[in-house]
Every structure is written in C-alpha cells, then in structure tokens.
Amino acid sequence: SLEGVPFLDRTGWIASGRSFVAGSPMKILDGDTKTHWHSNYQAVDGVVTERDNPPYTIEITLPEAKVISGMSLHPRGDGMIVGRILKLNVYVAKDDASDYFLLFENTEFPLATGNISPREIAFNANISVKKVKLEILEGSGHYGTLCEFNLWEERSEFNTVSFEDFHEEDSKNRLYRLDTKDFVASYGGACWLDFTIDK
C-alpha cells in the first residue's frame, strides 16, 4: 500500500459481479494494470446505446478468513478517468453463511485528472473477513471501472476486533474534517480577480 503495508496473497480469490463488459470481475485480481473490470454497456458505431446504471456490485471471496487492516482499489491503468469510482459502500462478511456487515458507507474519492494512484481505505483496527462486497454508488461518466483490488495484512499496532466493535475502535485514531463555516481567514494584500481569501 502507499502506507507501506503488505498486501495479502490473492491465490484462490474469486471476484464476481452482475454487470461487466471488456473483462469479467476477475480482472481486478489478475495483477495486470493494463486490464480492468468495466460496468456493462452497449455501443453501435462508437455511440453508446444502452448501459447499466449504478449501483454496481462486486463481491470478493477468499478461500479462508483473513485478518486485514485496509484495502486498495487501483483505478484503470490506461489514464482514462471514465468509470473511476467516486463513491461506494464497503461490506464485509466473516464467513460464507453470515450476512454482510456495512463497514464504510458513502466513502468518497475525489476525481483527479491523470491520477492513477490507488484509492486506499486505511483502517485503525484489524478485522477478520472471508468476503468483501463493493457497492459502487457513483462512477465518473456514470460508469464503473476497477483495475486491481487488494487487502492489507493485519497491523501489529492495532487491535483485532469484531465487526460490531469496529467503528468504535476505528474512531479512536480516525481523522475528521472540521466544519470550517465559522472559520475566518484574512489577507492584507490585493487579490487577483475574484480569487479572494475566503475561497
């Protein structure tokens, strides 16, 4: 990961989904940055005539439960921004028989032109998971794409907790954006055009 946490070995992982074209969801596990999963659409002579709308769902199943501390979602590697994930929900399950637990809701990734760095979700606690479900709520251009998906190994500095205790444990070290509506910024010089200090 960008934080230096090793990824889990993906041998035996299975990725599935109901909306795809130009490669099955297994493309997110093939280790090739030139391939990617793409939500389904149809085109005639280069003009899109039909497409599946979000949400798009991808499920990743591991051969056995593993303790993880985060995940990385690598955008398509061809430099195009179409389909890059902008907002998603993340669900996890501890085994094949259990219901999914909502781990992160409405997680947003701002779109940066030309940025092909992984979108990462770092935890502040370890959890044991057997399955992960990505529910992509919004993608650039009203499509969904994903190049590679990785899970982070557990981190020795964090506690390993149950799903039910995760949010409380995670919040102890999570960063929050302060509400700036009552903040005041001042500047003694002149500003160019309307690029004033309140911006």
Side-chain angles (χ1 to χ4, degrees):
S1 73
L2 297 178
E3 293 195 11
V5 184
F7 293 150
L8 291 179
D9 178 11
R10 298 187 296 182
T11 300
W13 291 20
I14 297 173
S16 60
R18 289 189 287 279
S19 174
F20 58 89
V21 71
S24 78
M26 286 296 290
K27 294 291 185 183
I28 70 172
L29 303 175
D30 66 3
D32 187 350
T33 57
K34 295 186 175 75
T35 66
H36 58 268
W37 158 82
H38 196 300
S39 60
N40 190 39
Y41 70 92
Q42 292 82 43
V44 177
D45 296 329
V47 177
V48 174
T49 57
E50 187 178 345
R51 68 180 174 205
D52 291 351
N53 292 314
Y56 313 114
T57 301
I58 298 177
E59 295 184 75
I60 300 97
T61 303
L62 283 59
E64 59 187 18
K66 293 286 187 179
V67 178
I68 65 169
S69 65
M71 60 186 61
S72 294
L73 297 87
H74 298 246
R76 57 190 302 174
D78 57 8
M80 295 183 66
I81 64 173
V82 172
R84 292 204 184 169
I85 297 172
L86 303 179
K87 183 188 293 187
L88 82 164
N89 293 333
V90 177
Y91 298 83
V92 291
K94 59 185 177 182
D95 53 48
D96 291 328
S98 298
D99 293 334
Y100 276 108
F101 176 83
L102 179 58
L103 196 67
F104 293 103
E105 186 174 19
N106 293 326
T107 298
E108 295 185 349
F109 298 119
L111 185 64
T113 303
N115 182 7
I116 59 173
S117 297
R119 307 314 206 184
E120 299 194 327
I121 303 176
F123 305 170
N124 291 297
N126 298 316
I127 54 171
S128 177
V129 305
K130 174 76 162 54
K131 299 172 70 176
V132 177
K133 180 169 72 173
L134 307 176
E135 184 182 33
I136 300 164
L137 305 174
E138 184 179 348
S140 175
H142 306 291
Y143 297 94
T145 62
L146 184 60
C147 178
E148 292 291 316
F149 176 82
N150 283 284
L151 294 172
W152 302 9
E153 292 183 358
E154 66 178 303
R155 300 175 74 165
S156 59
E157 64 267 33
F158 295 154
N159 293 324
T160 299
V161 298
S162 66
F163 294 167
E164 292 73 20
D165 294 334
F166 175 80
H167 289 115
E168 181 181 354
E169 183 71 19
D170 184 65
S171 67
K172 293 177 181 179
N173 291 297
R174 185 151 297 280
L175 299 177
Y176 294 91
R177 184 181 298 279
L178 297 175
D179 184 354
T180 60
K181 66 178 175 51
D182 295 325
F183 286 18
V184 176
S186 59
Y187 172 61
C191 296
W192 180 55
L193 300 177
D194 67 341
F195 300 108
T196 54
I197 192 63
D198 60 289
K199 299 294 194 300

